[in-house]
């Protein structure tokens, strides 16, 4: 996973690989605190940490994962001659988690911590070890909800409102780095709304300089009130170690996903129905907009949520529910995780004036736009589900990145990187993987066409 000198990676620790031959929350006791004094009268975070740490758990998993046989560079017609190559490999891994409902034993963590796990054990701060099962998960936001067996005498963390965070706020990270056991580090919020890192499909990260390392995945990022402000997820570093740049899923995003997983067992993406791009200095100057924050609207899809709310191409979207947005990626992640049917207020800059409109978000059964998605090759293309028979390219803008890639209106995408594509969900899952090469198999007017490109 780590290569060259610039690393962006998930934080769970793989401990062992076998040889190839083997195959609505309960009321919480508030965790209050700030910078207190210890018994000697010296300023200390210890009183706060003592209350928060019991809610953060260590997670150990065992399971099997499929081997990517395509990586072996063996053509399909020759794989018959290599039956000894196993399709699965056993693995063990460690990560972290946060108890968010003590009564029901609900724990949140990262999807990649428990992905493929057959056996999940959670070690509490007091040494107890409880079995856990996956209650719900969402690969595209790297999020999982676990349920503990026979939960008793647990401590939970309360969600903070991450929309209230400011750069410079103090932050404390708690987790299980390198399998050492619970470790506490501190720092500040370094940046908000980070996206475009290709870690997840929907990105709206909190960046912090609190030391985060491998094994911190799923652990807590808290404020000085002992409230959960984020779920530690990834790091940027030269060798997989901390260099002061860590990323966490905001608590509001986590809270919304948890609510949907509990209510429906899945996440129903919210859709606005636009294609767009980032606001740069030249664009802002051309539209008399005095900022580079926000999301520029290139196109509004007919009969979409945005269309019904009166959003127009050429608008600059500036806020969601009164909270400023930094970029298109942040807008996309927030809209998606608010969920289908959610009513949101969108701030708009148009013709030198600011206004606000209310939008009822669409669900993901209709058109789904890949423009500005995790794969830039789709910029300028409009995609939609094709009744379970692939993904339809319903439009491609002239001279767009998608047109230069070779996509054409009417194409039906049936495979991506040699994986079957039946729907937009399938395509998005493939695109969310850390891969800088894309090969599409396309049905074009009854003919099979392959498009390949690095990006």
């Amino acid at each position: 996973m780590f290569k060259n000198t610039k690393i962006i990676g998930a934080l769970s620790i793989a401990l062992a690989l076998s040889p190839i031959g083997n195959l609505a929350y309960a009321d919480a006791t508030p965790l209050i605190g700030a910078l207190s004094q210890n018994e000697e009268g010296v300023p200390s975070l210890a009183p706060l940490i003592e209350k928060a740490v019991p809610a953060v758990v260590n997670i150990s998993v065992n399971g099997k994962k499929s081997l990517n046989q395509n990586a072996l560079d063996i053509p399909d017609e020759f794989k018959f001659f290599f039956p000894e190559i196993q399709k699965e490999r056993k693995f063990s891994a460690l990560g972290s988690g946060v108890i968010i409902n003590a009564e029901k034993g609900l724990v949140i963590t990262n999807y990649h911590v428990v992905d493929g796990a057959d056996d999940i054990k959670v070690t509490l701060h007091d040494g107890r070890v409880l079995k856990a099962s996956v209650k719900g998960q969402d690969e595209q936001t790297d999020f999982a909800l676990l349920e503990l067996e026979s939960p008793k005498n647990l401590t939970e963390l309360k969600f903070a409102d991450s929309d209230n965070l400011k750069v410079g706020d103090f932050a404390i990270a708690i987790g299980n780095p390198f399998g050492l056991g619970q470790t506490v580090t501190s720092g500040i919020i370094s940046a908000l709304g980070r996206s475009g890192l290709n870690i997840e499909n929907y990105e709206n990260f909190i960046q912090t300089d609190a030391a985060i390392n491998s094994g911190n995945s799923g652990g807590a990022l808290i404020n000085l009130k002992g409230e959960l402000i984020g779920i530690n997820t990834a790091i940027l570093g030269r060798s997989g170690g901390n260099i002061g740049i860590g990323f966490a899923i905001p608590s509001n995003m986590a809270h919304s996903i948890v609510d949907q997983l509990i209510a429906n067992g899945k996440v129903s993406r919210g859709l606005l129905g636009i294609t767009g791009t980032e606001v740069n200095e030249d664009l802002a100057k051309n539209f008399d907009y005095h900022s580079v924050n926000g999301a520029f609207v290139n196109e509004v899809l007919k009969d979409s949520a945005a269309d019904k709310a009166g959003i127009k191409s050429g608008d600059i979207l500036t806020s969601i529910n009164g909270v400023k947005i930094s970029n298109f990626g942040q807008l996309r992640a927030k809209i998606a995780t608010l969920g289908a049917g959610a009513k949101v207020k969108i701030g708009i800059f148009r013709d030198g004036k600011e206004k606000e409109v209310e939008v009822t978000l669409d669900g993901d059964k209709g058109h789904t736009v890949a423009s500005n998605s995790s794969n830039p090759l789709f910029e300028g293309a409009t995609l939609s589900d094709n009744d379970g028979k692939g993904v339809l390219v319903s439009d491609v803008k002239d001279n767009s990145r998608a047109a230069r890639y070779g996509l054409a209106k009417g194409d039906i995408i049936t495979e991506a990187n040699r994986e079957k594509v039946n729907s937009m969900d399938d395509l998005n899952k493939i695109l969310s993987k850390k891969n800088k090469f894309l090969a599409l198999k396309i049905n074009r007017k009854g003919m099979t066409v392959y498009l390949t490109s690095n990006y």
Side-chain angles (χ1 to χ4, degrees):
M1 176 174 64
F2 303 126
K3 54 186 178 181
N4 301 326
T5 59
K6 186 177 181 182
I7 307 295
I8 295 179
L11 302 177
S12 59
I13 303 178
L15 296 181
L17 292 174
S18 70
I20 285 183
N22 298 326
L23 288 190
Y25 309 127
D27 291 335
T29 301
L31 292 173
I32 58 174
L35 195 59
S36 304
Q37 293 184 342
N38 63 16
E39 294 178 355
E40 298 177 353
V42 178
S44 174
L45 289 172
L48 164 68
I49 300 303
E50 287 175 1
K51 294 178 180 179
V53 160
V56 183
V57 301
N58 299 340
I59 298 175
S60 61
V61 303
N62 293 288
K64 296 176 183 178
K65 283 192 175 181
S66 299
L67 294 174
N68 182 5
Q69 295 197 38
N70 293 332
L72 301 175
D73 293 327
I74 301 174
D76 288 342
E77 57 267 30
F78 295 114
K79 287 183 179 178
F80 173 80
F81 299 103
F82 299 91
E84 72 279 2
I85 296 178
Q86 300 298 313
K87 296 182 179 180
E88 293 182 321
R89 180 177 290 187
K90 291 182 179 179
F91 75 94
S92 300
L94 290 179
S96 307
V98 182
I99 300 171
I100 50 102
N101 189 310
E103 181 181 355
K104 296 181 180 179
L106 299 182
V107 176
I108 54 178
T109 186
N110 287 134
Y111 171 87
H112 74 262
V113 172
V114 297
D115 180 25
D118 298 321
D119 179 61
I120 304 172
K121 289 186 173 63
V122 171
T123 302
L124 306 179
H125 181 63
D126 60 14
R128 284 180 291 160
V129 179
L130 303 180
K131 283 194 171 185
S133 58
V134 177
K135 186 176 178 65
Q137 57 190 4
D138 182 42
E139 182 179 3
Q140 294 186 56
T141 54
D142 197 12
F143 193 89
L145 177 66
L146 309 182
E147 187 171 24
L148 301 177
E149 289 187 7
S150 305
K152 293 180 181 178
N153 301 321
L154 302 178
T155 299
E156 65 187 57
L157 280 184
K158 177 183 177 182
F159 282 102
D161 184 350
S162 56
D163 284 342
N164 291 332
L165 292 175
K166 305 292 184 185
V167 173
D169 285 350
F170 286 105
I172 301 168
I174 309 174
N176 181 29
F178 302 112
L180 292 173
Q182 283 191 345
T183 300
V184 179
T185 58
S186 66
I188 63 169
I189 302 300
S190 305
L192 296 167
R194 289 295 195 208
S195 63
L197 304 175
N198 293 322
I199 302 172
E200 300 168 3
N201 195 19
Y202 297 98
E203 299 181 342
N204 176 28
F205 289 118
I206 299 168
Q207 181 182 323
T208 180
D209 66 348
I212 295 174
N213 289 285
S214 294
N216 275 104
S217 274
L221 191 69
I222 65 173
N223 60 21
L224 292 185
K225 292 182 180 179
E227 298 169 332
L228 186 67
I229 60 175
I231 301 298
N232 300 322
T233 297
I235 54 176
L236 177 69
R238 292 181 174 84
S239 59
N242 171 65
I243 62 169
I245 303 177
F247 301 100
I249 298 171
S251 57
N252 284 4
M253 189 170 173
H255 200 166
S256 178
I257 296 170
V258 167
D259 286 345
Q260 292 184 62
L261 290 176
I262 291 175
N264 307 314
K266 65 178 183 177
V267 175
S268 297
R269 310 273 175 225
L271 286 176
L272 194 53
I274 65 171
T275 66
T277 188
E278 309 299 349
V279 178
N280 58 34
E281 192 173 335
D282 290 334
L283 188 151
K285 183 178 180 180
N286 189 61
F287 282 81
D288 295 323
Y289 180 61
H290 304 293
S291 175
V292 292
N293 293 324
F296 183 76
V297 180
N298 291 112
E299 180 185 10
V300 177
L301 301 184
K302 187 177 180 180
D303 295 326
S304 66
D307 187 26
K308 293 172 184 176
I311 295 173
K312 299 179 180 179
S313 58
D315 285 348
I316 298 174
L317 307 188
T318 60
S319 65
I320 298 176
N321 291 332
V323 180
K324 297 293 183 181
I325 56 175
S326 301
N327 51 57
F328 196 97
Q330 184 183 28
L331 169 77
R332 181 173 178 269
K334 280 197 168 190
I335 291 296
T337 51
L338 283 170
K343 294 183 183 298
V344 298
K345 292 183 178 180
I346 306 289
I348 297 173
F349 178 88
R350 180 192 298 164
D351 298 329
K353 299 178 181 179
E354 299 213 22
K355 61 181 293 186
E356 193 173 61
V357 298
E358 185 172 88
V359 183
T360 301
L361 300 180
D362 289 330
D364 57 5
K365 292 183 179 180
H367 43 253
T368 301
V369 180
S371 298
N372 226 73
S373 72
S374 59
N375 194 303
L377 296 175
F378 286 102
E379 290 176 4
T382 302
L383 312 180
S384 60
D385 285 327
N386 190 43
D387 297 325
K389 299 177 181 178
V391 168
L392 174 66
V393 181
S394 54
D395 190 37
V396 178
K397 289 188 175 183
D398 293 340
N399 300 316
S400 65
R401 183 76 181 270
R404 294 194 297 272
Y405 178 42
L407 284 172
K409 183 177 179 179
D411 285 350
I412 299 174
I413 302 169
T414 59
E415 288 185 10
N417 290 346
R418 304 184 74 176
E419 294 186 45
K420 186 72 174 176
V421 173
N422 295 314
S423 65
M424 279 299 304
D425 279 345
D426 292 340
L427 180 60
N428 283 329
K429 286 179 182 179
I430 297 168
L431 295 180
S432 69
K433 297 178 181 178
K434 290 77 176 173
N435 195 338
K436 289 298 181 182
F437 177 80
L438 181 63
L440 296 182
K441 184 179 179 181
I442 289 172
N443 181 330
R444 180 175 292 171
K445 296 180 180 179
M447 301 290 289
T448 299
V449 176
Y450 278 93
L451 300 179
T452 63
S453 181
N454 293 95
Y455 62 94

